PDB file of all heavy atoms in Angstrom:
ATOM      1  N   TYR A 216      22.099  12.007 -36.537  1.00 76.00           N
ATOM      2  CA  TYR A 216      23.379  12.684 -36.550  1.00 76.00           C
ATOM      3  C   TYR A 216      24.392  11.964 -35.708  1.00 76.00           C
ATOM      4  O   TYR A 216      23.994  11.269 -34.814  1.00 76.00           O
ATOM      5  CB  TYR A 216      23.193  14.152 -36.030  1.00 76.00           C
ATOM      6  CG  TYR A 216      22.206  14.962 -36.792  1.00 76.00           C
ATOM      7  CD1 TYR A 216      20.973  15.270 -36.235  1.00 76.00           C
ATOM      8  CD2 TYR A 216      22.530  15.437 -38.076  1.00 76.00           C
ATOM      9  CE1 TYR A 216      20.023  16.049 -36.946  1.00 76.00           C
ATOM     10  CE2 TYR A 216      21.576  16.192 -38.767  1.00 76.00           C
ATOM     11  CZ  TYR A 216      20.368  16.490 -38.227  1.00 76.00           C
ATOM     12  OH  TYR A 216      19.432  17.254 -38.911  1.00 76.00           O
ATOM     13  N   PRO A 217      25.686  12.145 -35.994  1.00 71.00           N
ATOM     14  CA  PRO A 217      26.685  11.555 -35.134  1.00 71.00           C
ATOM     15  C   PRO A 217      26.563  12.153 -33.690  1.00 71.00           C
ATOM     16  O   PRO A 217      26.166  13.264 -33.482  1.00 71.00           O
ATOM     17  CB  PRO A 217      28.037  12.014 -35.758  1.00 71.00           C
ATOM     18  CG  PRO A 217      27.681  12.415 -37.143  1.00 71.00           C
ATOM     19  CD  PRO A 217      26.278  12.951 -37.105  1.00 71.00           C
ATOM     20  N   PRO A 218      26.924  11.357 -32.715  1.00 72.00           N
ATOM     21  CA  PRO A 218      26.893  11.840 -31.345  1.00 72.00           C
ATOM     22  C   PRO A 218      27.814  13.026 -31.192  1.00 72.00           C
ATOM     23  O   PRO A 218      28.814  13.167 -31.889  1.00 72.00           O
ATOM     24  CB  PRO A 218      27.412  10.646 -30.494  1.00 72.00           C
ATOM     25  CG  PRO A 218      27.110   9.474 -31.366  1.00 72.00           C
ATOM     26  CD  PRO A 218      27.232   9.915 -32.727  1.00 72.00           C
ATOM     27  N   ALA A 219      27.440  13.913 -30.213  1.00 60.00           N
ATOM     28  CA  ALA A 219      28.188  15.172 -30.084  1.00 60.00           C
ATOM     29  C   ALA A 219      29.713  14.950 -29.776  1.00 60.00           C
ATOM     30  O   ALA A 219      30.523  15.774 -30.177  1.00 60.00           O
ATOM     31  CB  ALA A 219      27.568  16.013 -28.959  1.00 60.00           C
ATOM     32  N   ALA A 220      29.993  13.859 -29.121  1.00 48.00           N
ATOM     33  CA  ALA A 220      31.410  13.593 -28.734  1.00 48.00           C
ATOM     34  C   ALA A 220      32.354  13.438 -29.929  1.00 48.00           C
ATOM     35  O   ALA A 220      33.509  13.686 -29.819  1.00 48.00           O
ATOM     36  CB  ALA A 220      31.484  12.319 -27.836  1.00 48.00           C
ATOM     37  N   VAL A 221      31.785  13.023 -31.061  1.00 45.00           N
ATOM     38  CA  VAL A 221      32.669  12.808 -32.201  1.00 45.00           C
ATOM     39  C   VAL A 221      32.586  13.951 -33.182  1.00 45.00           C
ATOM     40  O   VAL A 221      33.170  13.886 -34.270  1.00 45.00           O
ATOM     41  CB  VAL A 221      32.302  11.467 -32.899  1.00 45.00           C
ATOM     42  CG1 VAL A 221      32.485  10.278 -31.991  1.00 45.00           C
ATOM     43  CG2 VAL A 221      30.881  11.480 -33.478  1.00 45.00           C
ATOM     44  N   VAL A 222      31.836  14.954 -32.895  1.00 47.00           N
ATOM     45  CA  VAL A 222      31.761  16.143 -33.712  1.00 47.00           C
ATOM     46  C   VAL A 222      32.818  17.152 -33.289  1.00 47.00           C
ATOM     47  O   VAL A 222      32.853  17.625 -32.144  1.00 47.00           O
ATOM     48  CB  VAL A 222      30.354  16.817 -33.603  1.00 47.00           C
ATOM     49  CG1 VAL A 222      30.321  18.074 -34.440  1.00 47.00           C
ATOM     50  CG2 VAL A 222      29.280  15.794 -34.081  1.00 47.00           C
ATOM     51  N   LYS A 223      33.727  17.476 -34.165  1.00 48.00           N
ATOM     52  CA  LYS A 223      34.849  18.295 -33.848  1.00 48.00           C
ATOM     53  C   LYS A 223      34.351  19.678 -33.372  1.00 48.00           C
ATOM     54  O   LYS A 223      33.510  20.297 -34.060  1.00 48.00           O
ATOM     55  CB  LYS A 223      35.759  18.485 -35.028  1.00 48.00           C
ATOM     56  CG  LYS A 223      37.106  19.240 -34.711  1.00 48.00           C
ATOM     57  CD  LYS A 223      37.985  19.311 -35.901  1.00 48.00           C
ATOM     58  CE  LYS A 223      39.270  20.057 -35.582  1.00 48.00           C
ATOM     59  NZ  LYS A 223      40.165  20.106 -36.752  1.00 48.00           N
ATOM     60  N   GLY A 224      34.825  20.118 -32.259  1.00 48.00           N
ATOM     61  CA  GLY A 224      34.421  21.412 -31.725  1.00 48.00           C
ATOM     62  C   GLY A 224      33.049  21.441 -31.101  1.00 48.00           C
ATOM     63  O   GLY A 224      32.539  22.468 -30.754  1.00 48.00           O
ATOM     64  N   GLY A 225      32.418  20.243 -30.933  1.00 48.00           N
ATOM     65  CA  GLY A 225      31.106  20.186 -30.371  1.00 48.00           C
ATOM     66  C   GLY A 225      31.160  20.596 -28.870  1.00 48.00           C
ATOM     67  O   GLY A 225      32.197  20.422 -28.207  1.00 48.00           O
ATOM     68  N   PRO A 226      30.042  21.084 -28.326  1.00 52.00           N
ATOM     69  CA  PRO A 226      30.022  21.568 -26.959  1.00 52.00           C
ATOM     70  C   PRO A 226      30.080  20.410 -25.969  1.00 52.00           C
ATOM     71  O   PRO A 226      29.599  19.302 -26.257  1.00 52.00           O
ATOM     72  CB  PRO A 226      28.687  22.317 -26.829  1.00 52.00           C
ATOM     73  CG  PRO A 226      27.807  21.622 -27.880  1.00 52.00           C
ATOM     74  CD  PRO A 226      28.726  21.248 -28.999  1.00 52.00           C
ATOM     75  N   SER A 227      30.602  20.640 -24.796  1.00 54.00           N
ATOM     76  CA  SER A 227      30.546  19.652 -23.733  1.00 54.00           C
ATOM     77  C   SER A 227      29.090  19.437 -23.283  1.00 54.00           C
ATOM     78  O   SER A 227      28.355  20.375 -23.155  1.00 54.00           O
ATOM     79  CB  SER A 227      31.334  20.123 -22.512  1.00 54.00           C
ATOM     80  OG  SER A 227      31.050  19.328 -21.395  1.00 54.00           O
ATOM     81  N   PRO A 228      28.666  18.159 -23.163  1.00 52.00           N
ATOM     82  CA  PRO A 228      27.312  17.878 -22.714  1.00 52.00           C
ATOM     83  C   PRO A 228      26.938  18.589 -21.424  1.00 52.00           C
ATOM     84  O   PRO A 228      25.786  18.996 -21.215  1.00 52.00           O
ATOM     85  CB  PRO A 228      27.259  16.347 -22.595  1.00 52.00           C
ATOM     86  CG  PRO A 228      28.337  15.869 -23.465  1.00 52.00           C
ATOM     87  CD  PRO A 228      29.410  16.914 -23.400  1.00 52.00           C
ATOM     88  N   LEU A 229      27.915  18.709 -20.525  1.00 64.00           N
ATOM     89  CA  LEU A 229      27.606  19.323 -19.213  1.00 64.00           C
ATOM     90  C   LEU A 229      27.328  20.812 -19.340  1.00 64.00           C
ATOM     91  O   LEU A 229      26.788  21.415 -18.375  1.00 64.00           O
ATOM     92  CB  LEU A 229      28.810  19.072 -18.248  1.00 64.00           C
ATOM     93  CG  LEU A 229      29.052  17.628 -17.811  1.00 64.00           C
ATOM     94  CD1 LEU A 229      30.302  17.553 -17.024  1.00 64.00           C
ATOM     95  CD2 LEU A 229      27.854  17.129 -17.025  1.00 64.00           C
ATOM     96  N   ALA A 230      27.628  21.419 -20.497  1.00 74.00           N
ATOM     97  CA  ALA A 230      27.443  22.830 -20.650  1.00 74.00           C
ATOM     98  C   ALA A 230      25.977  23.206 -20.607  1.00 74.00           C
ATOM     99  O   ALA A 230      25.644  24.386 -20.421  1.00 74.00           O
ATOM    100  CB  ALA A 230      28.044  23.277 -21.985  1.00 74.00           C
ATOM    101  N   VAL A 231      25.082  22.229 -20.755  1.00 77.00           N
ATOM    102  CA  VAL A 231      23.647  22.566 -20.801  1.00 77.00           C
ATOM    103  C   VAL A 231      23.124  22.919 -19.388  1.00 77.00           C
ATOM    104  O   VAL A 231      22.232  23.744 -19.275  1.00 77.00           O
ATOM    105  CB  VAL A 231      22.796  21.375 -21.279  1.00 77.00           C
ATOM    106  CG1 VAL A 231      22.838  20.227 -20.323  1.00 77.00           C
ATOM    107  CG2 VAL A 231      21.416  21.803 -21.659  1.00 77.00           C
ATOM    108  N   LEU A 232      23.793  22.443 -18.355  1.00 80.00           N
ATOM    109  CA  LEU A 232      23.270  22.633 -16.999  1.00 80.00           C
ATOM    110  C   LEU A 232      23.237  24.141 -16.585  1.00 80.00           C
ATOM    111  O   LEU A 232      22.256  24.671 -16.158  1.00 80.00           O
ATOM    112  CB  LEU A 232      24.039  21.817 -15.973  1.00 80.00           C
ATOM    113  CG  LEU A 232      23.906  20.301 -16.251  1.00 80.00           C
ATOM    114  CD1 LEU A 232      24.764  19.517 -15.185  1.00 80.00           C
ATOM    115  CD2 LEU A 232      22.471  19.864 -16.169  1.00 80.00           C
TER     116      LEU A 232
END
Side-chain angles (χ1 to χ4, degrees):
Y216 302 108
V221 299
V222 177
K223 187 176 180 180
S227 165
L229 293 174
V231 71
L232 299 178

